[in-house]
Amino acid sequence: MKRENVTHLLATDLDGTLVGEQEMTAFLLDYYKDRPYQVELVYVTGRHYASTMDLINDEKLPMPSVLISDVGTEMYDFNDPALHERWKKTLEEQWNPDAISRIVELCSGLMPQSIPSTHRLSYYAESDEAVEDVKRKLIDSSVPHKLIYSSGRDVDILPPNAGKGEALSFLIREKGWEEANILVAGDSGNDRDMLTLGYPSVIVGNCQEELKELPDHPMIFRAQRLCAGGIHEAWEHFFEKAAAVK
Ligand code: GLC
Ligand code: MG
């Protein structure tokens, strides 16, 4: 189902981005209520579904129109449940978790995360060297995959066509939201591929080291303020400043 009337969209990571500074989150959500337009919310998180719902409840966040969970491997459109099936089908064509687990077992220094997810394998890494080792072995094996290392700790191994960026692009295409004013927000390595899609994007002030290394780009705004405060800063930069000039 296409929503033709979506003019503004915030596609945001949760931990360390929309969530992290409670006052800033409340301020941003109030600011959106005061806009003369509606801001559609899409949450794009590394958490799995149940863990995301717990966070939404604990932090009293509004329900988004769409939740992309599990580092861009699962997608829940609350207006169109069939979207999840279409997305999964594209991932499963190139997903071979058994072959990947066998290779990871040959490496030391990676502890499996205990998560219910079926379209990603996630680990805690003991060191950067352990990650380099598993990266090399996976590349040598030629098993299709995408490896994402974030926060000096989390290693996610995904189908090659998954990830937050691929999932968000798929969603925007499916919903016909290409013409909307879209702001993408994140704070760590698993956000990199959605922050570089070419939409207005914000790296919040409290970002992890791996995002400080990202090359500068006119569409990437580096906020001074933390978490949701940085989202607000970028929203003004991209959308409200332009409105004032018109
Ligand atoms: C979240 C998830 C974890 C994942 C990490 C990085 O912390 O809970 O499973 O590895 O994000 O994507
Ligand atoms: Mg985060």
Side-chain angles (χ1 to χ4, degrees):
M1 191 212 312
K2 287 197 177 176
R3 297 272 304 272
E4 306 294 348
N5 58 346
V6 171
T7 60
H8 291 77
L9 174 81
L10 173 69
T12 183
D13 170 53
L14 294 177
D15 297 271
T17 307
L18 183 62
V19 175
E21 293 282 334
Q22 261 177 353
E23 277 176 26
M24 301 277 188
T25 310
F27 174 78
L28 178 73
L29 295 171
D30 281 348
Y31 170 82
Y32 282 155
K33 277 190 206 135
D34 288 346
R35 296 303 91 198
Y37 44 79
Q38 196 187 324
V39 180
E40 207 76 12
L41 291 175
V42 174
Y43 296 160
V44 195
T45 176
R47 290 179 180 239
H48 60 77
Y49 182 86
S51 158
T52 310
M53 287 303 155
D54 287 348
L55 184 72
I56 290 175
N57 283 331
D58 293 348
E59 299 291 328
K60 302 187 177 53
L61 300 177
M63 278 298 287
S65 339
V66 181
L67 164 63
I68 294 173
S69 70
D70 294 279
V71 206
T73 59
E74 309 294 338
M75 192 176 299
Y76 305 91
D77 179 346
F78 298 104
N79 297 306
D80 176 14
L83 188 74
H84 197 181
E85 290 309 312
R86 293 204 291 283
W87 171 242
K88 277 205 299 210
K89 230 170 126 189
T90 68
L91 298 190
E92 281 168 0
E93 284 160 13
Q94 296 188 79
W95 184 224
N96 194 342
D98 295 341
I100 293 173
S101 315
R102 279 197 297 274
I103 293 158
V104 178
E105 276 161 22
L106 303 174
C107 310
S108 54
L110 288 175
M111 278 263 305
Q113 294 184 19
S114 120
I115 46 170
S117 317
T118 49
H119 294 92
R120 66 165 163 140
L121 294 166
S122 296
Y123 302 86
Y124 297 121
E126 270 171 18
S127 62
D128 291 353
E129 291 70 39
V131 181
E132 287 311 311
D133 182 35
V134 76
K135 266 188 191 167
R136 237 185 344 260
K137 288 200 168 72
L138 282 168
I139 289 170
D140 290 349
S141 75
S142 307
V143 178
H145 71 281
K146 181 185 281 181
L147 185 147
I148 298 175
Y149 182 33
S150 341
S151 316
R153 189 190 71 153
D154 301 320
V155 174
D156 301 303
I157 307 175
L158 320 175
N161 50 350
K164 291 187 175 190
E166 300 267 1
L168 185 59
S169 298
F170 174 90
L171 176 68
I172 291 169
R173 263 196 323 272
E174 284 280 320
K175 307 290 275 184
W177 284 343
E178 290 91 344
E179 301 304 319
N181 294 288
I182 298 174
L183 180 68
V184 181
D187 76 311
S188 79
N190 72 1
D191 300 314
R192 185 194 308 255
D193 63 358
M194 68 169 177
L195 293 166
T196 53
L197 286 175
Y199 296 108
S201 296
V202 55
I203 298 178
V204 292
N206 51 296
C207 71
Q208 298 287 329
E209 282 304 313
E210 64 262 16
L211 287 191
K212 293 189 181 149
E213 293 158 9
L214 209 61
D216 285 336
H217 186 279
M219 283 303 199
I220 299 183
F221 180 81
R222 292 177 196 275
Q224 296 292 316
R225 289 163 63 207
L226 312 183
C227 304
I231 300 179
H232 172 255
E233 204 183 317
W235 194 271
E236 291 266 296
H237 169 81
F238 284 115
F239 304 141
E240 293 291 331
K241 206 165 62 186
V245 171
K246 266 183 209 160

